[in-house]
């Protein structure tokens, strides 16, 4: 059963009471909130997600709620909590939905050591996945958003999860986090894209979320083998340049972007080395999304792929 | 007692039960264990029982086990670096708590996670020890002048030192209780009985009785109960191991508690280990070292020692924790110091931290 098949009243009851269980790839998340804006965000962004089992195991139990107190009358706030633990300071209530998305990223990046977890976007086509690591501001999410509107499957725009056991990339297909100018760029690029209510004046500027394509959500239980590691860089006015990167350098940069590389120790090294081994590594500078789509469509799978 | 009735405490008492849990039980156990800092301990208990946990819960246990093993290794590396730093000096450095468990290869080091390394040096050597650690890369962080005064004038440790490259944190102590604390204990007595660590000329661990008394004092006087069930499980492991290893341990423990003036913390440790984790504890003089209102303390500790999770809390849990937090401060310093301190923390601390950060250009 999909979330969109619940009646609005049923959805709201679940979110208010014991929690709404959603499947996101391998994950089951138990969500609770009484805030109307967050409920609306969930129903818009996760409508195409399947519900989880009521009496099963949830990876994370999260709540987005107002802290109460006198402040609620002056400057209402919102708190994210995981198992009753509050990892972040409260934010203005208008940022509630964005806080839920950041909180879920935090849950995964700080608890999921069954994967090597890398701060990177992941997309797949014809059975081969590209890992797009990049510091904030490099245009990684924008690039991901554009490519998944042009035939690539979204695994994640923020978290590359490399299974320690299989070396495959595990999808979550959650909404893509767009910031500032990217919001209008993606609206212009694909007028049919479903984008949620923007939250203004957050610590990252204005943010809005792009609903993951139905096909990506439907296939969120299908892992993909890594084929390329591509470090994107937005450069105003640049013509597209895809340049091969030495594997050693790609390894070091990818290790820098991993959340739990050093926490996993030797195991982290092994998984990362295997990943780099099976991939072709590039840096990619671009200014126009259409150029990027064109360049990515010509990517050939690694010939020496050790699979 | 809420702590005893929690699913997690039940598993710690009887790890064999890990084999037969339903997914909806795991749905409660994993959150409880995350809050208590005991996920990796569960992994180790399952392994020791020859059980393999399947599915998602099993993946979390396995992930936590890898991270804990890695932390164990990292602690050994740091201890090696600490020895190198003190090499050639005549300062004895005692490893406390987690680092001591790891280096003495005690069972409670298995599946234990760490946030910092605690060291104890004689007060007379404190300034030199701090300089030595500074010279080897452990630097003081951004602390306000108030924090410095608080630590250096009143506390039993200096502000935390963080290594500038590895980011590891050392808490350097010169006593096991604040200088202003109501209970006075002479740290010199601890050094006299400390045990040299084989292969590390400057390093020591506390004698078994003292190690236990220190951990008990830490848990039952500090006022922070985030990982209280983990700390209680550490005590449980020590209380099962030491008497089996050394005959006469119990009598020695009680004698030493009296000598170090730590009878009350020992009472709590024995009482709650036994009540919550079924630790075998013989009758003895310790039974007379309880507080004036044992039922009231039971009500508070019975809640505060439970994992901090909704599944093992009631209407009074938050109040109990808050009262113990206040008690922690009450034990830490006399009222004429405590009231201005709490006032500062509540109303001025944040503003001054901001100002101090700006001054430091951070």
């Amino acid at each position: 059963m999909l979330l969109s098949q619940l009646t609005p009243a049923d959805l709201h009851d679940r979110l208010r009471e014991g929690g709404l269980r959603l499947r996101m790839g391998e994950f089951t998340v138990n969500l609770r909130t009484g805030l109307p804006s967050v409920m609306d965000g969930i129903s818009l962004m996760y409508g195409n997600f399947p519900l989880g089992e009521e009496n099963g195991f949830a990876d994370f139990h999260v709540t987005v709620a107002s802290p109460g107190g006198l402040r609620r009358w002056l400057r209402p706030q919102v708190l994210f909590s995981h198992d009753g633990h509050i990892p972040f300071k409260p934010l203005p209530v208008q940022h509630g939905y964005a806080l839920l998305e950041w909180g879920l990223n935090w849950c995964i990046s700080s608890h999921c050591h069954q994967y090597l977890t890398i701060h990177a976007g992941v997309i797949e086509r014809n059975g081969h996945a590209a890992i797009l690591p990049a510091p904030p501001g490099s245009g990684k999410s924008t690039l991901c958003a554009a490519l998944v509107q042009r035939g690539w499957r979204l695994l994640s725009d923020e978290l590359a999860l490399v299974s320690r056991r299989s070396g495959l990339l595990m999808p979550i297909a959650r909404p893509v986090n767009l910031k500032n100018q990217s919001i209008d760029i993606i609206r212009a690029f694909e007028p049919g894209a479903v984008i949620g209510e923007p939250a203004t004046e957050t610590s990252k500027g204005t943010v809005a979320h792009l609903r993951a394509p139905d096909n990506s959500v439907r296939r969120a239980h299908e892992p993909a083998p890594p084929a390329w590691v591509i470090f994107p860089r937005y450069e105003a006015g640049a013509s597209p340049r895809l340049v091969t990167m030495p594997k050693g350098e790609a390894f070091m940069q990818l290790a820098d972007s991993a959340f739990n590389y050093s926490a996993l120790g030797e195991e982290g090294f092994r998984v990362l080395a295997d990943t780099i081994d099976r991939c072709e590594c590039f840096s990619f500078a671009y200014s126009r999304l259409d150029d990027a789509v064109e360049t990515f469509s010509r990517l050939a799978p690694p010939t020496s792929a050790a699979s | 007692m809420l702590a005893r009735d929690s699913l997690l405490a039940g598993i710690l008492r009887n790890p064999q039960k890990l084999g037969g849990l339903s997914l909806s039980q795991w749905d409660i156990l994993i959150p409880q264990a995350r809050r208590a800092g005991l996920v990796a301990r569960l992994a180790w208990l399952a392994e020791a029982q020859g059980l393999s946990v399947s599915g998602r819960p099993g993946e979390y246990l396995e992930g936590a086990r890898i991270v804990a093993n890695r932390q164990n290794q990292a602690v050994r590396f740091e201890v090696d670096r600490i020895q190198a730093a003190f090499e050639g000096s005549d300062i004895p450095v005692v490893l406390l708590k987690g680092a001591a468990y790891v280096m003495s290869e005690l069972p409670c080091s298995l599946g234990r996670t760490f946030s910092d390394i605690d060291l104890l040096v004689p007060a007379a050597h404190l300034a030199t020890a701090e300089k030595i650690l500074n010279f080897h890369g452990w630097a003081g962080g951004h602390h306000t002048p108030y924090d410095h005064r608080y630590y250096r004038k009143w506390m039993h440790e200096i502000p935390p030192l963080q290594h500038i490259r590895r980011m590891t944190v050392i808490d350097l102590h010169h006593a096991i209780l604040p200088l202003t604390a109501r209970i006075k204990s002479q740290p010199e007595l601890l050094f006299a009985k400390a045990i040299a660590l084989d292969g590390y000329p400057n390093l020591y661990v506390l004698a078994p009785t003292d190690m236990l008394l220190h951990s008990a004092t830490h848990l039952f006087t500090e006022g922070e109960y985030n990982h209280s069930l983990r700390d209680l499980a550490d005590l449980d492991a020590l209380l099962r191991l030491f008497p089996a290893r050394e005959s006469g341990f119990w009598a020695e423990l009680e004698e030493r508690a009296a000598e170090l003036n730590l009878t009350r913390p020992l009472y709590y440790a024995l009482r709650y280990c036994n009540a919550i984790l079924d630790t075998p504890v013989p009758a003895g003089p310790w039974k007379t070292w309880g507080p004036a209102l044992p039922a009231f303390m039971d009500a508070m500790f019975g809640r505060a020692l439970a994992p901090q999770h909704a599944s093992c809390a009631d209407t009074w849990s938050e109040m109990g924790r808050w009262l113990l937090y206040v008690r922690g401060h009450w034990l830490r310093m006399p009222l004429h110091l405590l009231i201005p301190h709490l006032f500062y923390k509540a109303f001025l601390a944040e503003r001054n931290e901001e100002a101090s950060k700006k001054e430091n250009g951070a």
Side-chain angles (χ1 to χ4, degrees), chain B residues 177-218:
Chain B
L177 283 164
L179 302 174
T180 51
R182 264 152 234 275
I183 312 177
K184 308 281 176 207
S185 185
Q186 287 177 274
E188 302 77 29
L189 299 175
L190 300 174
F191 287 101
K193 278 205 174 172
I195 295 169
L197 198 60
D198 210 16
Y200 300 84
N202 288 76
L203 304 188
Y204 296 79
V205 293
L206 294 175
T209 49
D210 299 2
M211 189 182 278
L212 202 132
L213 289 166
H214 171 249
S215 296
T217 304
H218 192 80

Side-chain angles (χ1 to χ4, degrees), chain B residues 13 21 47 55 57 66 112 136 218 271 277 323 355 361:
Chain B
R13 287 193 301 270
L21 295 177
E47 194 183 304
I66 290 177
R112 199 179 190 284
H136 287 85
H218 192 80
R271 172 162 181 77
L277 299 174
L323 285 173

